[in-house]
Amino acid sequence: MDRKDYQIVRALMRDGRLTNQDLAARVNLSPSPCLRRLRLLEERGVITGYAAVVDQKSMGYPITVFVGIRLSRHDRETVERFERSIDEIDEILDCFLMTGAIDYQLRVVAPDLDGYERFVRDRLHAIDGIASIDTSLAFGIVKQSRILPMPG
């Protein structure tokens, strides 16, 4: 990737609805070369998709919870079962494989504290192989960004 590719990616991270004309103007290219570069970035997997950024409170999920999971066993079957199960639960927005005291860090949304309790009891406890669940509630958001820094 060269500097122009990074400019294209950054412009789209800021506004994924840019037309090719607007994108080309923003990165100082003519439309045809801009579109060619964009298609190559998509083909190479640099740009993996486009999505609307939605306010979670407006959708009825004002509560954000960070959940640390430690598995009871680390054999292939337990790990694969856990990861398949997590992938099927819509309230889990992110799942990171971790180093240290916990095995996974989840970012979960809930409508309220009772809803989070139901989520733990009905969804997480149903997954075999979980040894512990550690919950931290987010009081608010100081910074939330999907815009990656430019290299260099």
Side-chain angles (χ1 to χ4, degrees):
M1 283 185 45
D2 64 15
R3 184 160 181 75
K4 209 46 91 174
D5 289 335
Y6 283 113
Q7 288 174 342
I8 290 170
V9 170
R10 190 157 178 88
L12 288 172
M13 284 190 293
R14 290 183 186 280
D15 183 357
R17 294 185 66 170
L18 287 172
T19 65
N20 185 57
Q21 290 285 107
D22 291 338
L23 178 61
R26 202 163 287 179
V27 299
N28 201 25
L29 281 174
S30 58
S32 291
C34 184
L35 186 59
R36 269 194 304 278
R37 284 175 174 266
L38 178 60
R39 296 293 179 243
L40 281 171
L41 289 166
E42 292 169 345
E43 288 170 15
R44 291 193 323 231
V46 174
I47 297 173
T48 60
Y50 301 87
V53 178
V54 177
D55 179 72
Q56 72 185 58
K57 289 179 185 176
S58 297
M59 295 298 292
Y61 293 95
I63 305 293
T64 299
V65 185
F66 293 93
V67 183
I69 300 287
R70 196 167 42 81
L71 298 179
S72 59
R73 296 176 307 283
H74 295 92
D75 58 276
R76 176 174 283 192
E77 182 182 331
T78 301
V79 168
E80 288 177 356
R81 181 178 47 247
F82 174 80
E83 291 179 358
R84 273 193 316 271
S85 297
I86 291 303
D87 193 44
E88 296 171 4
I89 301 173
D90 291 340
E91 294 89 348
I92 300 172
L93 300 184
D94 297 307
C95 176
F96 297 94
L97 180 61
M98 305 296 289
T99 63
I102 61 171
D103 297 315
Y104 295 92
Q105 180 76 42
L106 313 178
R107 182 170 62 100
V108 175
V109 293
D112 51 38
L113 292 179
D114 291 336
Y116 177 67
E117 180 183 358
R118 283 189 306 277
F119 165 80
V120 170
R121 290 178 183 269
D122 298 343
R123 306 300 298 270
L124 286 185
H125 286 170
I127 302 171
D128 188 40
I130 294 178
S132 70
I133 299 170
D134 180 54
T135 297
S136 297
L137 294 171
F139 286 133
I141 299 171
V142 175
K143 179 181 179 180
Q144 187 173 36
S145 178
R146 298 192 189 298
I147 300 171
L148 297 171
M150 294 281 285

